[in-house]
């Protein structure tokens, strides 16, 4: 019950942070989608936008929690990562893992220990901020620039409600923009200053960090929601167990008292006879 109350108090702040990050991340995708629509097919487009020209090596950026006692929250994300890795391997692709969070790392290393290239532990972070996401984004982009992978997919749990957290996979390198976002220009012609390539060269790395920050904040809200539900279920199960054990104890005690009374009465009847 105490952990449920603590999770409920932290959930409010985590949910507010996750909901505040959604409009910024969505609008960033729309802006980049509009700009990328104009130069997406050009050779001068930044490599983060056009990709490496191949999709043979996939990096799965798996974001989970640092702690447990949250029901199936971490397991659901890891299950999605395993399913994605299995399908990619079956298609002849090479799969690598970048783990953010100790719980996901502990589960994935049992099957994919040799494929995990890096793990980031955020246990020391009391409050998640853009600096944490930027640090992770820099590590991922540096590996992309070294041609260590072709496609990067971000896996996290999107917060919907206290009882509903949705494991989500989002490709962030090269980015996949919503088709509706590219239609927001309405056929108008825009001139960019500086050039669109220069804008994308600055904004694309920031977009990777923004999407990772959104995933971390969504994960935090989902974690506290899942922990709140798990602790509530644990409290109910403990109450049911206590009631069953109390009933069993009372019945056993009553049976022993009845047995002793029968023995006393039987002894008294024997003495009389």
């Amino acid at each position: 019950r105490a952990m449920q109350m603590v999770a409920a108090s932290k959930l409010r702040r985590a949910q507010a942070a996750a909901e505040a990050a959604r409009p910024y991340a969505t609008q960033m995708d729309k802006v980049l989608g509009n700009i990328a629509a104009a130069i997406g097919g050009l050779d001068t487009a930044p490599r983060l936008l056009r990709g490496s020209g191949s999709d043979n090596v996939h990096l799965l950026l798996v974001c989970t929690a640092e702690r447990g006692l949250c029901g199936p929250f971490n397991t659901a994300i890891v299950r999605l990562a395993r399913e994605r890795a299995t399908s990619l391997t079956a298609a002849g692709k090479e799969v690598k893992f970048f783990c953010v969070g100790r719980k996901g790392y502990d589960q994935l290393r049992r099957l994919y220990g040799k494929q995990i290239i890096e793990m980031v532990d955020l246990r020391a972070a009391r409050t998640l901020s853009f600096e944490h996401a930027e640090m992770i984004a820099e590590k991922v982009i540096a590996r992309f620039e070294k041609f260590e992978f072709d496609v990067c997919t971000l896996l996290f749990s999107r917060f919907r409600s206290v009882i509903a957290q949705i494991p989500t996979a989002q490709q962030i390198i090269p980015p996949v923009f919503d088709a509706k976002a590219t239609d927001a220009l309405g056929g108008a012609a825009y001139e960019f200053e500086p050039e669109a390539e220069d804008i994308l060269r600055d904004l694309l790395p920031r977009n990777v960090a923004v999407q990772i920050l959104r995933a971390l904040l969504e994960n935090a809200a989902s974690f506290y929601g899942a922990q709140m539900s798990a602790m509530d279920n644990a409290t109910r199960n403990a109450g049911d167990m206590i009631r069953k054990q109390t009933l069993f104890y009372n019945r056993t005690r009553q049976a022993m008292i009845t047995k002793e009374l029968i023995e006393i009465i039987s002894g008294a009847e024997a003495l009389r006879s």
Side-chain angles (χ1 to χ4, degrees):
R1 180 70 67 182
M3 289 190 66
Q4 179 186 356
M5 294 175 64
V6 171
S9 65
K10 292 183 177 181
L11 173 62
R12 296 187 186 95
R13 293 193 298 269
Q15 182 179 353
E19 291 176 349
R22 288 174 185 172
Y24 184 84
T26 303
Q27 194 63 29
M28 173 75 83
D29 255 0
K30 288 182 179 180
V31 171
L32 289 177
N34 290 335
I35 301 175
I39 67 165
L42 302 179
D43 294 336
T44 57
R47 188 165 173 267
L48 273 177
L49 176 64
R50 53 186 170 85
S52 62
S54 175
D55 64 342
N56 293 326
V57 183
H58 287 251
L59 177 67
L60 301 183
L61 180 57
V62 185
C63 299
T64 56
E66 300 290 351
R67 300 187 302 277
L69 297 177
C70 54
F73 168 74
N74 292 312
T75 306
I77 302 174
V78 172
R79 185 186 301 116
L80 178 62
R82 286 201 302 262
E83 292 173 354
R84 181 62 63 94
T86 301
S87 63
L88 289 172
T89 303
K93 312 296 182 182
E94 182 182 353
V95 179
K96 298 180 180 180
F97 292 89
F98 189 118
C99 297
V100 179
R102 185 169 54 91
K103 286 299 180 180
Y105 171 75
D106 290 341
Q107 293 187 42
L108 287 171
R109 68 177 178 177
R110 299 169 189 168
L111 294 176
Y112 306 102
K114 296 181 179 180
Q115 295 169 253
I116 298 176
I117 60 175
E118 193 162 348
M119 194 275 280
V120 174
D121 191 333
L122 297 177
R123 278 179 292 178
R126 306 192 68 177
T127 303
L128 293 172
S129 62
F130 183 75
E131 285 73 18
H132 299 107
E134 191 174 33
M135 176 265 294
I136 298 171
E138 288 175 354
K139 291 177 178 289
V140 172
I141 294 173
R143 291 184 178 276
F144 179 71
E145 296 295 338
K146 294 178 182 177
F147 300 92
E148 294 186 15
F149 65 89
D150 301 313
V151 179
C152 178
T153 303
L154 178 63
L155 296 102
F156 62 99
S157 184
R158 184 163 56 85
F159 178 81
R160 174 176 288 179
S161 67
V162 175
I163 60 174
Q165 300 86 35
I166 305 172
T168 305
Q170 177 186 357
Q171 182 175 315
I172 57 176
I173 299 177
V176 176
F177 300 112
D178 188 356
K180 296 180 180 178
T182 60
D183 296 335
L185 286 171
Y190 284 81
E191 293 184 0
F192 299 100
E193 179 64 34
E195 295 298 325
E197 292 86 350
D198 298 329
I199 296 175
L200 286 175
R201 197 168 288 110
D202 291 336
L203 288 186
L204 284 171
R206 177 175 289 271
N207 181 60
V208 175
V210 167
Q211 301 305 326
I212 293 175
L213 175 62
R214 178 189 180 183
L216 294 178
L217 295 177
E218 293 278 354
N219 259 9
S222 298
F223 169 78
Y224 289 121
Q227 188 176 66
M228 185 176 170
S229 298
M231 293 301 100
D232 181 57
N233 292 334
T235 301
R236 293 181 183 181
N237 293 337
D240 292 341
M241 186 180 296
I242 290 172
R243 282 191 293 271
K244 290 179 182 179
Q245 293 298 327
T246 302
L247 180 62
F248 176 75
Y249 167 77
N250 289 336
R251 287 178 176 176
T252 305
R253 180 172 173 269
Q254 186 64 42
M256 293 178 63
I257 294 173
T258 303
K259 180 181 178 182
E260 290 178 359
L261 288 174
I262 291 174
E263 291 176 350
I264 292 172
I265 294 172
S266 299
E269 291 292 333
L271 291 174
R272 288 178 185 179
S273 62

